[in-house]
Amino acid sequence: MRCLVDSGADECLFNNAIAKNLGIELESGEPRIYYPIGGQPIGGFAHRIELQIHGFDERVEIEAGFTEDSQFSILGQAGFFENYEVVFRGYEKRFEINSVFEL
């Protein structure tokens, strides 16, 4: 699946439909309130999931939030940025992700 890489997001956040596709029972997770930038607080549930970035062999266990109000799949600080080196190359209009497991 495609995700937005958001260095300003505290956590990884996905729509409830993705949890259902993964076979996750939403209400079995920890209830949370998420605060998107410029938006109203939204309720959701936190779950431990495995994340694998396309082109990388390793999987990392992260805590992700699932909410009905999430329009995008967002990779944020907790879970994503703490497990990968992310290099932004604004002058080239691109970025790269490097595995910290191979550095």
Side-chain angles (χ1 to χ4, degrees):
M1 68 188 268
R2 293 181 185 260
C3 298
L4 289 173
V5 174
D6 187 348
S7 62
D10 292 331
E11 302 170 86
C12 296
L13 195 61
F14 304 96
N15 185 274
N16 287 348
I18 293 169
K20 292 174 188 171
N21 288 339
L22 295 173
I24 296 171
E25 293 183 34
L26 288 168
E27 291 78 21
S28 69
E30 180 183 335
R32 292 268 179 89
I33 301 294
Y34 298 98
Y35 299 91
I37 292 179
Q40 297 295 320
I42 54 177
F45 296 93
H47 287 271
R48 300 290 301 172
I49 63 169
E50 283 189 340
L51 174 71
Q52 183 177 15
I53 303 300
H54 180 72
F56 292 81
D57 293 330
E58 72 274 351
R59 294 176 182 215
V60 294
E61 187 173 305
I62 68 167
E63 185 173 90
F66 294 91
T67 177
E68 192 62 45
D69 295 326
S70 181
Q71 296 178 355
F72 304 102
S73 297
I74 297 171
L75 298 175
Q77 291 293 327
F80 179 67
F81 281 89
E82 67 187 12
N83 285 299
Y84 295 92
E85 176 189 48
V86 181
V87 180
F88 291 94
R89 299 186 187 284
Y91 60 93
E92 295 177 345
K93 298 185 186 329
R94 68 183 194 99
F95 69 96
E96 65 183 55
I97 301 169
N98 298 306
S99 171
V100 297
F101 303 99
E102 297 173 5
L103 292 178

